[in-house]
Amino acid sequence: MTVDTRRGDGPQDELFDVAIVGYGPVGQALALALAQQGHRIAVIERWPAPFGLPRAVGLDHEVMRILQSLGVTQEFEPHTTLSQVYEWRNGSGERLVAFPGLDETGPSGWPAGPSFSQPTLERILSERVRNDHGGQVEVLLGMAVSGLSESEDRVLLEAWPNSPDTASGTVRRIAARWVVGCDGAGSIVRQLMGATYEDIAFAADWLVVDLQPKDPARWSSELIQVCDPQRPTTMVSGGPGRRRFEFMMHEGERKEDFNNAQAAWGLLERWGWTSANAVLERHAVYTFRACVADVWRRGRMMIAGDAAHLTPPFAGQGLCAGLRDAIALAWRLDLVLRGRAAEGLLDSYTDERRPHARALIEFAVELGRIICVLDPNAARQRDARLRADAAELSQRKFPAPQLGASPLVRVADAQAGRLGRQGRVYQRGRIGRFDDLVGAGFVLIGDGHDPTDSLTSEQLAFLHRIGATSVGIGQGSSVRDIDGTYRRWFDELGCRAVLVRPDFYLYGAGEAPSLVGDLMAAFKDTTAQERVA
């Protein structure tokens, strides 16, 4: 069904700034980020209640910084766990490679790989939206989008009650300036945009099992990948008091034979878990896929999260990528909605995020192809290579790809598009993380000097218009570098100033006047592109 735009706006057609389709953690994060900026949001979610069972179980330091920007980490962090052990083993239990523990602090000032239970995060995000921004965010649960159409300045969506008897329900028409589909792999928004998935040649069925030990002393935060050709198996923390097991299915094995409690207990028994010492919380068969949508924005419609990309879980980046999408969209939409940037700014979302997400998907696929070797002879050869390269592999860092090229990534700057740092700082008698004390958004940071001293009045006015913060950090500055994080960073970059974007990626590094001047030109460039289009 397609909404007929000729009917015009009736009394029920309040114009929202953004309509979000889907209210999982990506949709929640986007709604919260936009509401914090004062925008009016409508959310359409086809299920009447949150999905109460675990799905994602891993985050990273960058996403913890995103959650910090949303103001939820103080409540959320106690519900995470850290792992000191991350190992790959063979089917005999021999350790092949030991990787650095995910409890180490990452560049964003948070632990590298906390584990959690997704329903807990969803509850915290939803409560923050409801309690702090209930007047700005209208959440329509149990409603399914049946169609949408775009006019010059808005999108009209039609939503029906998601029940077997839709004829007895009341249709709801929503008008919004922008629409974002955060509605998962089967995204209706992606379909109505005419976008399609590009398959990155990986698919495998796995039985995913979550359990809770009856004796808390038996719980472990260890992350173990068992590279066993008999049955590749993943054993990780699912947050406090939970363990996640994933068992690869072989060709010819049927999903219906595995997706039941009897099959789950049968596979868990090898690892010492039975109904006598654990509670089986969940079992589900998933097809791990690697896909990326060809189009992420078309007109006034955009997609994010699983609607835009799917990844196997071997790098723990599925939800992380979706939350990166949310924060990348939020600051762009905010600037456009406030009239501080042209609509062409939104094109940079696809240009930057699609190659970044694809790089991490390809990394996960690479891991999967190592883990999922089923031929015994090939597995023995793989094990020998891993043993020989164990020392080198154990020192490898998790990949941190640069953003794709766009006007918002400074041209010919090798540092542009890389993730920025966050350390502890001292300011006005307080010690804390940089974002909490100094602020987020666009931030111009000078190495030991106030970077605004060398800016023109026009450049200062531009920074003010986009809500930027400028600060010097280091000896003699108003902000002190507690742990030397910024001193080391500037030394590595070999520059005197950095311009950090609201999503914590570098616009560029160099001298403050040229950084700000180039960013001003980039904003003008998006306006020029829009006029050409």
Side-chain angles (χ1 to χ4, degrees):
M1 179 185 295
T2 301
V3 178
D4 184 355
T5 60
R6 294 171 297 179
R7 288 182 290 180
D9 293 343
Q12 60 182 325
D13 296 328
E14 175 186 356
L15 180 62
F16 291 87
D17 292 317
V18 179
I20 299 171
V21 181
Y23 203 49
V26 176
Q28 291 173 330
L30 180 59
L32 181 54
L34 290 169
Q36 288 174 340
Q37 300 296 328
H39 302 297
R40 186 84 171 92
I41 310 301
V43 179
I44 304 168
E45 168 56 57
R46 67 192 185 105
W47 299 113
F51 189 73
L53 295 174
R55 283 167 291 174
V57 294
L59 298 176
D60 63 18
H61 59 91
E62 180 186 350
V63 168
M64 288 298 292
R65 190 177 184 184
I66 291 172
L67 296 177
Q68 176 191 353
S69 74
L70 299 177
V72 300
T73 46
Q74 184 173 358
E75 184 178 357
F76 176 62
E77 188 178 14
H79 298 284
T80 65
T81 59
L82 301 177
S83 301
Q84 296 179 326
V85 175
Y86 175 30
E87 296 178 355
W88 284 17
R89 301 175 182 172
N90 63 16
S92 301
E94 175 194 0
R95 185 174 69 188
L96 300 172
V97 185
F99 297 95
L102 300 182
D103 57 337
E104 298 179 357
T105 300
S108 303
W110 288 93
S115 300
F116 76 111
S117 176
Q118 184 171 323
T120 300
L121 176 60
E122 291 193 35
R123 174 184 59 79
I124 291 171
L125 289 170
S126 181
E127 288 176 354
R128 182 58 57 92
V129 170
R130 182 173 61 251
N131 295 337
D132 293 359
H133 305 284
Q136 295 168 255
V137 182
E138 182 174 354
V139 180
L140 305 175
L141 299 177
M143 301 288 285
V145 172
S146 55
L148 57 79
S149 64
E150 181 180 356
S151 60
E152 184 178 353
D153 65 344
R154 67 193 62 192
V155 178
L156 296 177
L157 300 94
E158 192 167 86
W160 291 80
N162 186 30
S163 66
D165 184 17
T166 56
S168 64
T170 301
V171 65
R172 178 71 186 269
R173 297 177 67 232
I174 299 291
R177 295 175 66 184
W178 302 96
V179 171
V180 182
C182 304
D183 48 341
S187 172
I188 183 66
V189 177
R190 186 184 67 247
Q191 296 172 37
L192 294 171
M193 281 173 53
T196 59
Y197 273 150
E198 175 193 355
D199 199 318
I200 308 180
F202 184 94
D205 292 334
W206 286 64
L207 173 64
V208 178
V209 179
D210 292 293
L211 63 79
Q212 298 183 52
K214 293 181 178 180
D215 179 1
R218 291 204 61 186
W219 176 82
S220 167
S221 64
E222 292 181 336
L223 277 60
I224 307 296
Q225 181 63 61
V226 184
C227 303
D228 182 0
Q230 296 292 319
R231 179 81 65 192
T233 300
T234 302
M235 303 182 292
V236 298
S237 168
R242 284 187 172 89
R243 292 292 289 169
R244 160 70 56 87
F245 289 80
E246 297 169 354
F247 303 99
M248 184 178 177
M249 293 170 53
H250 291 266
E251 186 176 352
E253 292 179 329
R254 303 189 311 165
K255 291 183 180 181
E256 55 266 34
D257 293 335
F258 274 72
N259 193 12
N260 59 76
Q262 182 179 358
W265 285 124
L267 293 171
L268 288 167
E269 188 174 5
R270 172 185 174 185
W271 308 104
W273 296 104
T274 69
S275 58
N277 60 26
V279 175
L280 186 64
E281 186 176 35
R282 179 185 185 226
H283 54 80
V285 173
Y286 285 96
T287 300
F288 294 166
R289 297 178 60 198
C291 305
V292 61
D294 57 348
V295 176
W296 291 28
R297 179 202 172 195
R298 179 158 285 154
R300 294 187 169 272
M301 296 176 283
M302 287 150 280
I303 51 176
D306 285 356
H309 44 73
L310 296 174
T311 181
F314 307 115
Q317 287 292 300
L319 179 55
C320 294
L323 291 174
R324 289 188 192 98
D325 297 342
I327 200 70
L329 269 178
W331 68 266
R332 289 171 166 86
L333 284 167
D334 175 58
L335 287 172
V336 171
L337 287 166
R338 292 179 184 276
R340 295 174 178 175
E343 294 177 4
L345 182 76
L346 296 170
D347 289 330
S348 63
Y349 166 64
T350 304
D351 296 338
E352 294 177 6
R353 286 292 308 133
R354 189 176 188 274
H356 188 281
R358 185 186 179 108
L360 288 170
I361 292 170
E362 290 175 345
F363 174 67
V365 169
E366 179 185 347
L367 296 180
R369 287 175 177 156
I370 297 172
I371 293 165
C372 299
V373 174
L374 301 179
D375 178 80
N377 290 328
R380 282 191 289 271
Q381 295 173 18
R382 174 206 58 202
D383 294 351
R385 290 194 301 271
L386 290 175
R387 289 190 203 96
D389 298 337
E392 178 190 348
L393 292 172
S394 66
Q395 298 304 312
R396 284 189 184 176
K397 293 184 179 180
F398 194 88
Q402 289 178 268
L403 298 175
S406 90
L408 275 298
V409 177
R410 193 179 186 219
V411 176
D413 185 337
Q415 304 304 328
R418 295 193 183 278
L419 184 62
R421 305 278 176 88
Q422 179 180 218
R424 293 191 311 148
V425 298
Y426 171 91
Q427 185 185 46
R428 300 188 185 96
R430 298 173 59 202
I431 293 177
R433 291 184 174 91
F434 181 93
D435 296 351
D436 292 332
L437 296 190
V438 178
F442 280 99
V443 183
L444 180 63
I445 307 174
D447 179 14
H449 69 286
D450 183 348
T452 61
D453 290 344
S454 56
L455 301 183
T456 67
S457 58
E458 183 183 11
Q459 289 174 331
L460 290 170
F462 169 74
L463 291 180
H464 177 73
R465 181 166 67 86
I466 64 172
T469 299
S470 300
V471 65
I473 188 167
Q475 193 70 26
S477 301
S478 60
V479 178
R480 303 291 179 82
D481 186 2
I482 295 297
D483 303 311
T485 300
Y486 295 91
R487 175 71 270 157
R488 291 189 296 273
W489 191 27
F490 279 113
D491 286 345
E492 291 171 15
L493 297 177
C495 68
R496 300 194 67 227
V498 294
L499 183 50
V500 183
R501 309 181 336 170
D503 52 11
F504 316 120
Y505 283 82
L506 282 182
Y507 168 70
E511 296 293 331
S514 62
L515 286 171
V516 178
D518 289 348
L519 184 61
M520 291 172 66
F523 269 65
K524 291 178 182 177
D525 187 39
T526 61
T527 303
Q529 288 179 353
E530 183 177 271
R531 288 171 180 165
V532 170

